Amino acid sequence: MATEQTLSIIKPDATRRNLTGKIIAKFEEAGLRVVAQKRLHMTLAMAQAFYAVHKDRPFYNDLCQFMVSGPVVVQVLQGENAVAKNREVMGATNPANAAPGTVRKEFAESIEANSVHGSDSLENARNEIAFFFSQTEIVG
Ligand code: ADP
Ligand code: MG
């Protein structure tokens, strides 16, 4: 295993309910380290570009509207096997299928308002990190 970096987003449903600390604690308890972080309100154009991979899916427009419905916290998580580890801590996309103890099981409101985003591959992680952060903002 190698040290990796991955992109994590705490979504508007979670910032609205003041859950950022509880969610970050789960990542830290799993051995992941926050090496970059900022809170922002994404524009619709940003959300559409970030989720462009899903542009043909029926949920795309709703998803983009949801992502701009409130502030998000975007962060770079670093650690051994960080891409897969983050996905493990997040839990399944649909909270109904998420394992006990995962972020989505404990906090998600629905399959859409599921509290967190995480990169699904090392290549996507690199692209998604560069979408939000410059190299000087990432401090390991
Ligand atoms: P993940 O976030 O687990 O990688 P996807 O990449 O498949 O999941 O989907 C991106 C996001 O789109 C999900 O996190 C969720 O917010 C939303 N989403 C996925 N599937 C659905 C669905 N069937 N209905 C509504 N929203 C969905
Ligand atoms: Mg995904």
Side-chain angles (χ1 to χ4, degrees):
M1 283 195 288
T3 299
E4 297 174 350
Q5 292 181 341
T6 190
L7 186 84
S8 165
I9 304 178
I10 302 178
K11 294 183 178 182
D13 67 284
T15 60
R16 188 179 300 122
R17 289 174 289 148
N18 206 23
L19 292 172
T20 60
K22 284 185 173 143
I23 290 173
I24 293 161
K26 284 201 176 285
F27 295 131
E28 291 182 341
E29 282 159 15
L32 293 166
R33 181 173 289 267
V34 178
V35 296
Q37 191 177 60
K38 58 187 155 193
R39 182 176 175 101
L40 70 149
H41 201 137
M42 290 173 77
T43 63
L44 188 57
M46 282 175 81
Q48 288 167 336
F50 184 77
Y51 278 119
V53 63
H54 293 310
K55 68 180 185 321
D56 296 325
R57 308 285 288 276
F59 57 80
Y60 176 69
N61 284 326
D62 279 354
L63 172 62
C64 292
Q65 290 295 338
F66 163 63
M67 291 300 287
V68 304
S69 67
V72 296
V73 173
V74 293
Q75 50 195 4
V76 178
L77 302 178
Q78 179 176 293
E80 287 291 304
N81 219 14
V83 173
K85 172 88 55 81
N86 179 38
R87 298 288 309 194
E88 206 178 294
V89 176
M90 288 165 61
T93 307
N94 185 345
N97 302 326
T102 60
V103 171
R104 283 166 166 173
K105 183 67 173 186
E106 290 194 11
F107 301 122
E109 292 183 319
S110 67
I111 190 170
E112 178 181 84
N114 59 5
S115 303
V116 279
H117 165 86
S119 308
D120 62 5
S121 70
L122 201 48
E123 189 192 349
N124 286 341
R126 288 197 188 97
N127 293 333
E128 291 179 0
I129 289 168
F131 186 92
F132 286 106
F133 294 98
S134 64
Q135 272 308 315
T136 55
E137 293 176 309
I138 303 170
V139 184

